[in-house]
Amino acid sequence: MATRVRTLALSGVAKLGIAITAAAVVVQSGLHFLDVVVLDRRHPALDSDAEGSVAAWQGSVAQFAAALLVLLLAVRFPARRTGLVILAGVLAFFSFDDIVQVHEWLGRTVVDAIGASQRYGADVWPVLYLPLLAIVALGLWRVGDELGGEVQPLLVGGLALLGAGMFVELLSPAIREWASFVPEIVIEEAAELAGWGLIATALTVAVVAQFDTSRRAS
């Protein structure tokens, strides 16, 4: 793609991004516990599993930031522009989806159509979104593979966390059979937010490195 990020040591940008991500996860999980344990779920804005919540906003911001950063990489690398623009478009859609919950609606619609229990809605939407998920996974993997350095492990770590979050969501119907507190919500949402945070951090590192290289070359 372009000049590889040479160092595997974490830069100041990477450390700041990781710190912000960790803080966001702690805040999100803490607010969820507060709403469930103390406030008896009277404040949906604090519930990580609710529409229009702080958790949804944080995830949407991270996804939209990733989309904008990929667009900047598309400007920097004309030879990869089409693929990067497509990747940015899918990331922007995910940001929109996190707020309006299109995937939740699709899951409910499909399970209604086949007469299944609504608790299986979480198992349906990943199948419907598989092409979009593949575009994001392969697109980000390629960016990390070509740029290397600290960008690659951050992107791989982010994708792994997103996969872990989705796996927990797929298991949620079984978990809720025996867990009264539904702990999978905290784990799932924390993994997803951490994943998107690491991805946004990696892309920030990539953009800073590439545009700094361009400036010094000129």
Side-chain angles (χ1 to χ4, degrees), residues 3 76 209-218:
T3 305
R76 178 70 175 84
Q210 296 306 317
F211 278 87
D212 184 62
T213 300
S214 177
R215 179 184 60 79
R216 285 188 279 111
S218 63

Side-chain angles (χ1 to χ4, degrees), residues 71-143:
L71 279 180
L72 289 175
L73 291 177
V75 171
R76 178 70 175 84
F77 310 122
R80 298 281 188 265
R81 186 163 296 165
T82 299
L84 290 172
V85 168
I86 292 172
L87 175 59
V90 176
L91 289 170
F93 171 74
F94 281 173
S95 173
F96 170 77
D97 185 288
D98 234 9
I99 295 298
V100 301
Q101 300 287 303
V102 175
H103 67 285
E104 297 278 1
W105 173 80
L106 282 175
R108 290 193 300 266
T109 301
V110 171
V111 295
D112 275 344
I114 63 177
S117 171
Q118 280 295 330
R119 66 178 182 173
Y120 294 108
D123 297 330
V124 173
W125 77 261
V127 177
L128 301 175
Y129 272 42
L130 193 58
L132 299 180
L133 295 171
I135 289 173
V136 169
L138 293 175
L140 291 175
W141 183 278
R142 186 171 186 180
V143 170

Side-chain angles (χ1 to χ4, degrees), residues 117-124 166-179 182 184 188:
S117 171
Q118 280 295 330
R119 66 178 182 173
Y120 294 108
D123 297 330
V124 173
M166 185 174 296
F167 180 71
V168 172
E169 184 171 3
L170 290 172
L171 291 179
S172 63
I175 295 174
R176 295 187 188 195
E177 290 290 333
W178 57 267
V182 291
E184 87 282 356
E188 171 205 334

Side-chain angles (χ1 to χ4, degrees), residues 145-189:
D145 185 58
E146 295 195 10
L147 292 181
E150 61 186 339
V151 174
Q152 187 171 28
L154 286 170
L155 284 176
V156 171
L159 289 171
L161 284 167
L162 291 180
M166 185 174 296
F167 180 71
V168 172
E169 184 171 3
L170 290 172
L171 291 179
S172 63
I175 295 174
R176 295 187 188 195
E177 290 290 333
W178 57 267
S180 59
F181 176 62
V182 291
E184 87 282 356
I185 292 175
V186 174
I187 298 170
E188 171 205 334
E189 298 296 337

